[in-house]
Amino acid sequence: MAKNYEIKKRLGTKISYIRKSKNLSQIQLSELCDLNFNYIGQIERGIANPTLEKIIKLAEALDVEVKDLFDFSF
């Protein structure tokens, strides 16, 4: 269970990092990918468990490849 949480936390941290590097607020990102901004915050904190469909939407909105969201070596 702890491993699942760690992956979700790292994914959220990476999404937050990319979002901030593109000078986007959570609200702006939520509008780009048609997700609720509260949900974006939950993803970034590692609380939410986004589906593959939502991960694809986030990658497209951030203009990165899906695989880049899972590259935790930043």
Side-chain angles (χ1 to χ4, degrees):
M1 186 65 115
K3 187 171 185 164
N4 289 339
Y5 173 76
E6 185 63 31
I7 292 170
K8 289 192 298 185
K9 184 70 176 160
R10 287 182 178 197
L11 174 63
T13 299
K14 183 64 180 259
I15 289 169
S16 176
Y17 174 81
I18 296 170
R19 174 181 61 77
K20 290 175 182 174
S21 75
K22 295 181 180 278
N23 295 314
L24 292 171
S25 69
Q26 288 180 345
I27 292 173
Q28 290 169 317
L29 178 57
S30 72
E31 290 170 353
L32 289 171
C33 59
D34 196 31
L35 297 172
N36 184 286
F37 75 93
N38 288 317
Y39 186 64
I40 299 293
Q42 291 173 349
I43 292 170
E44 290 185 357
R45 290 189 308 276
I47 298 169
N49 189 17
T51 63
L52 180 56
E53 180 181 323
K54 289 182 174 84
I55 291 170
I56 292 168
K57 283 184 169 188
L58 285 162
E60 289 174 350
L62 291 168
D63 195 30
V64 296
E65 298 286 329
V66 170
K67 68 180 177 68
D68 296 332
L69 298 179
F70 292 93
D71 179 3
F72 304 138
S73 62
F74 62 103

PDB file of all heavy atoms in Angstrom, residues 14 21 29 33 48 64:
ATOM      1  N   LYS A  14       5.421  15.590  -9.777  1.00  0.00           N
ATOM      2  CA  LYS A  14       5.909  15.848 -11.139  1.00  0.00           C
ATOM      3  C   LYS A  14       4.932  16.727 -11.912  1.00  0.00           C
ATOM      4  O   LYS A  14       5.341  17.667 -12.609  1.00  0.00           O
ATOM      5  CB  LYS A  14       6.139  14.516 -11.880  1.00  0.00           C
ATOM      6  CG  LYS A  14       6.717  14.670 -13.275  1.00  0.00           C
ATOM      7  CD  LYS A  14       8.115  15.283 -13.229  1.00  0.00           C
ATOM      8  CE  LYS A  14       8.731  15.449 -14.584  1.00  0.00           C
ATOM      9  NZ  LYS A  14       9.695  14.444 -14.931  1.00  0.00           N
ATOM     10  N   SER A  21       6.451  25.103 -13.906  1.00  0.00           N
ATOM     11  CA  SER A  21       7.490  25.488 -14.872  1.00  0.00           C
ATOM     12  C   SER A  21       6.883  26.166 -16.105  1.00  0.00           C
ATOM     13  O   SER A  21       7.565  26.902 -16.809  1.00  0.00           O
ATOM     14  CB  SER A  21       8.322  24.276 -15.292  1.00  0.00           C
ATOM     15  OG  SER A  21       7.611  23.452 -16.183  1.00  0.00           O
ATOM     16  N   LEU A  29      -4.713  25.037 -15.405  1.00  0.00           N
ATOM     17  CA  LEU A  29      -4.522  23.653 -15.858  1.00  0.00           C
ATOM     18  C   LEU A  29      -5.854  22.921 -15.899  1.00  0.00           C
ATOM     19  O   LEU A  29      -6.138  22.199 -16.853  1.00  0.00           O
ATOM     20  CB  LEU A  29      -3.536  22.915 -14.955  1.00  0.00           C
ATOM     21  CG  LEU A  29      -3.294  21.445 -15.285  1.00  0.00           C
ATOM     22  CD1 LEU A  29      -2.803  21.272 -16.717  1.00  0.00           C
ATOM     23  CD2 LEU A  29      -2.326  20.831 -14.290  1.00  0.00           C
ATOM     24  N   CYS A  33      -7.527  21.003 -19.275  1.00  0.00           N
ATOM     25  CA  CYS A  33      -7.785  19.559 -19.394  1.00  0.00           C
ATOM     26  C   CYS A  33      -9.194  19.180 -18.951  1.00  0.00           C
ATOM     27  O   CYS A  33      -9.505  17.989 -18.859  1.00  0.00           O
ATOM     28  CB  CYS A  33      -6.736  18.758 -18.644  1.00  0.00           C
ATOM     29  SG  CYS A  33      -6.617  19.094 -16.899  1.00  0.00           S
ATOM     30  N   ALA A  48      -5.611  11.753  -4.872  1.00  0.00           N
ATOM     31  CA  ALA A  48      -6.460  11.181  -5.926  1.00  0.00           C
ATOM     32  C   ALA A  48      -5.695  10.117  -6.703  1.00  0.00           C
ATOM     33  O   ALA A  48      -4.466  10.130  -6.773  1.00  0.00           O
ATOM     34  CB  ALA A  48      -6.938  12.276  -6.877  1.00  0.00           C
ATOM     35  N   VAL A  64       3.270  17.594 -22.758  1.00  0.00           N
ATOM     36  CA  VAL A  64       4.352  16.638 -22.532  1.00  0.00           C
ATOM     37  C   VAL A  64       3.843  15.245 -22.901  1.00  0.00           C
ATOM     38  O   VAL A  64       2.646  15.029 -23.052  1.00  0.00           O
ATOM     39  CB  VAL A  64       4.843  16.640 -21.061  1.00  0.00           C
ATOM     40  CG1 VAL A  64       5.445  17.978 -20.686  1.00  0.00           C
ATOM     41  CG2 VAL A  64       3.739  16.248 -20.098  1.00  0.00           C
TER      42      VAL A  64
END
